Amino acid sequence: MSARVVWLRRIVYSFVWLDVLWLTPWVRDHGDVPSRLYRPLVLGRVLHLPTPTPRLVTLVLVALLVSSAIAALGKAPRVAGTAVFLLYLEWMVIAFSYGKVDHDRFTFLVALAVLPTVAAARRDTAVFAVRAIQVAAVLTYLLSVYAKHRFGGGLDAWLDSTTLLRAVVRRGTLIGDVLTHTPWILHAAQYGVVALELLSPLLLVPGRVGRAMLASVVAFHLVTFATVTILFVPHVVCLAAFLPLEDLDRRLRGRPLRARHLRPGEVLVHPDVAR
């Protein structure tokens, strides 16, 4: 098991608590919604998942919090991690079977799916897990471009639309409101957003290119939050897969850092679990 995976487990499983208790507490209210309003997602229909009730929602919530706490502590990571993935998937079905589906959960769900596959004695499983999360993050940006083309009347139409201007008018902040007086900046920003999303595969390039792209992506999310208060927190959390978290592990242990930079997906074996 790699040090990077150990830290990713701590970050991802701890975030589950933040998500269900603070970011999406409204999901709990779906247990009280009339059953006739329940329109399960395709997954819910295929698996014949039950209609949410107060008891079911509470059961899923408690089990999810307990299993994620166990997984975050590194106890029974494969069993607890699998339970977290299945329970969180059900939590998402309960959340989004009544209307809009948020796309910021894709990378997070992939992370929950692959983290339990890491075996302590096999380094290749850690490499696979990290790379899968990284690729999912890149695909999120690329699929966003496709969504703009499919649902925005064509990519050209989206680029020359007033999407960002409408977003600022509807949800703008003090910073965003200033931009309404210079709409050409918002128009140009739409081209910048698509360019950034198309360049997202550069995140997978090792060295300075990958680090520069990661900084650009993080800056994009911060600017988006500062102007229209939209922040895809689960996705941003998963960007930690691009960070050399193994260096943090070595710092905390008082060991010298490696002189060279690790490539994306390359990991160090964690000394406590490499048995």
Side-chain angles (χ1 to χ4, degrees):
M1 187 186 302
S2 75
R4 188 179 303 197
V5 169
V6 170
W7 278 102
L8 282 174
R9 281 175 168 166
R10 293 168 182 167
I11 294 169
V12 169
Y13 294 134
S14 297
F15 175 77
V16 171
W17 276 67
L18 178 66
D19 186 23
V20 302
L21 295 180
W22 183 53
L23 295 178
T24 58
W26 46 267
V27 179
R28 285 172 278 174
D29 298 333
H30 284 176
D32 299 315
V33 174
S35 59
R36 67 178 182 276
L37 300 178
Y38 179 61
R39 297 292 184 271
L41 302 174
V42 173
L43 181 65
R45 296 196 299 271
V46 171
L47 298 180
H48 301 288
L49 297 177
T51 301
T53 63
R55 180 175 297 181
L56 174 65
V57 173
T58 300
L59 178 62
V60 173
L61 173 63
V62 173
L64 181 56
L65 292 176
V66 171
S67 58
S68 59
I70 294 173
L73 293 173
K75 307 298 182 181
R78 306 192 81 173
V79 175
T82 300
V84 173
F85 169 66
L86 296 175
L87 290 165
Y88 190 84
L89 189 61
E90 167 65 4
W91 190 254
M92 291 295 96
V93 172
I94 294 173
F96 301 125
S97 292
Y98 297 86
K100 181 176 71 72
V101 178
D102 293 341
H103 68 277
D104 61 340
R105 312 278 162 166
F106 172 69
T107 309
F108 193 73
L109 281 168
V110 170
L112 292 179
V114 299
L115 286 176
T117 67
V118 178
R122 295 188 57 184
R123 175 173 176 161
D124 59 323
T125 60
V127 173
F128 168 79
V130 172
R131 180 61 79 179
I133 298 171
Q134 293 174 339
V135 170
V138 170
L139 286 176
T140 297
Y141 296 114
L142 296 179
L143 290 173
S144 178
V145 176
Y146 172 71
K148 291 178 177 64
H149 170 71
R150 181 178 178 184
F151 303 108
L155 189 57
D156 291 342
W158 189 91
L159 287 169
D160 293 320
S161 67
T162 57
T163 298
L164 291 185
L165 179 59
R166 293 198 305 271
V168 170
V169 170
R170 188 172 66 251
R171 319 173 42 103
T173 63
L174 181 62
I175 298 175
D177 291 342
V178 173
L179 296 176
T180 59
H181 302 292
T182 53
W184 68 268
I185 295 180
L186 294 173
H187 187 190
Q190 291 179 181
Y191 280 83
V193 168
V194 171
L196 182 72
E197 291 172 335
L198 290 175
L199 290 172
S200 60
L202 293 178
L203 285 167
L204 301 174
V205 177
R208 294 182 179 179
V209 173
R211 292 195 298 272
M213 191 64 205
L214 179 60
S216 299
V217 166
V218 172
F220 161 69
H221 288 292
L222 293 178
V223 170
T224 302
F225 180 72
T227 53
V228 292
T229 64
I230 293 177
L231 183 62
F232 303 125
V233 183
H235 175 79
V236 172
V237 165
C238 291
L239 292 179
F242 293 97
L243 298 175
L245 299 175
E246 50 278 335
D247 287 352
L248 175 61
D249 191 75
R250 294 172 70 84
R251 284 183 184 277
L252 293 177
R253 294 175 179 277
R255 298 177 181 178
L257 299 179
R258 298 180 65 160
R260 65 183 183 86
H261 292 287
L262 294 175
R263 297 180 178 179
E266 185 180 1
V267 291
L268 296 177
V269 176
H270 194 281
D272 288 345
V273 291
R275 302 185 180 95

